[in-house]
Amino acid sequence: AMWSCNVRLIRRLLAAWGGRPLHSSAWRALRFMTDPRRKDVEDMFRLYIAERSLQTVEVPFWAMIQLGRKEMRPEEAQYAPPSLREKVASTVTKMHTEACSTMEAAFGTEDAAAFPLDALAAIHKCDADTKAVFQNIINATKLSRPVQLHSSVVRRSKRAATRELLWELRRALCEKRTPDMALAARLLDSGATMRPREASSDDERSDDEEM
């Protein structure tokens, strides 16, 4: 259901999951989803989290980045029942706020490894306004942190963009569809190489392991 982006079935599965923690395979499928239809799937995850609260659902750092938004009005949550739209909007902005706080704290460690590629890749999937907030946090390290730290994070961000581009090209080939050109353009603009190589084993670690 996840890989086919069957939104109706995904919504039913998430609703039936109850209060149990989501299986890691569900988060993994969302993390590697590059199909343009993933936005509808992301909305189902936002609804799932809002219905149960951030205190109940263990949301990975990368998912906080990808599912959160700088701003969201209740009326934008058309996929949610009217009674839940305000809660969805509040939950989405809270995820963004928490993700920003976590990223700022990571810079305090002065260790580029504190920024998993999955988290950096998630930034590339955000809307323009939300992505700009994270980019500003990264850019701020030019003045407040060692130059080496900023350079390392920028390099990791470009590697993350390259990995996402490679994955989208693979998925499009396997699914016999046209690649998401808008996503590809954003990734290239973010530093993805035109000749993406296989990610190293060091890059394949999941956020569940790193965060």
Side-chain angles (χ1 to χ4, degrees), residues 12-174:
R12 288 169 57 188
L13 289 173
L14 290 175
W17 199 256
R20 295 171 294 164
L22 272 182
H23 195 275
S24 60
S25 61
W27 290 115
R28 181 179 176 80
L30 177 64
R31 184 171 76 238
F32 287 108
M33 194 174 294
T34 53
D35 187 297
R37 295 172 296 172
R38 78 174 187 279
K39 296 182 182 299
D40 293 329
V41 178
E42 290 173 350
D43 287 340
M44 293 303 98
F45 273 78
R46 291 181 178 109
L47 177 59
Y48 172 86
I49 296 168
E51 288 177 321
R52 291 158 181 78
S53 81
L54 278 172
Q55 289 70 36
T56 301
V57 182
E58 295 183 13
V59 184
F61 176 37
W62 66 265
M64 287 274 196
I65 293 174
Q66 185 170 325
L67 299 177
R69 286 175 57 179
K70 178 185 177 183
E71 296 178 352
M72 183 176 182
R73 300 186 303 274
E75 55 267 28
E76 294 180 76
Q78 292 296 317
Y79 49 87
S83 60
L84 284 174
R85 289 173 186 171
E86 186 170 343
K87 187 174 183 181
V88 169
S90 175
T91 299
V92 168
T93 54
K94 283 180 181 177
M95 283 194 287
H96 174 69
T97 300
E98 288 192 25
C100 289
S101 297
T102 301
M103 178 170 282
E104 290 170 344
F107 272 117
T109 67
E110 298 189 358
D111 181 6
F115 298 87
L117 291 189
D118 291 328
L120 294 170
I123 294 175
H124 299 306
K125 294 180 179 178
C126 294
D127 63 76
D129 290 342
T130 302
K131 179 180 178 180
V133 174
F134 293 117
Q135 195 59 54
N136 287 338
I137 294 175
I138 294 174
N139 291 340
T141 61
K142 290 181 179 179
L143 300 176
S144 60
R145 301 294 176 188
V147 175
Q148 295 88 341
L149 174 62
H150 177 266
S151 298
S152 295
V153 173
V154 170
R155 284 197 301 272
R156 287 176 67 81
S157 180
K158 290 180 179 179
R159 276 215 317 275
T162 297
R163 189 179 70 170
E164 288 299 300
L165 177 59
L166 173 61
W167 183 249
E168 167 57 9
L169 295 176
R170 278 182 181 168
R171 293 298 303 176
L173 179 63
C174 292

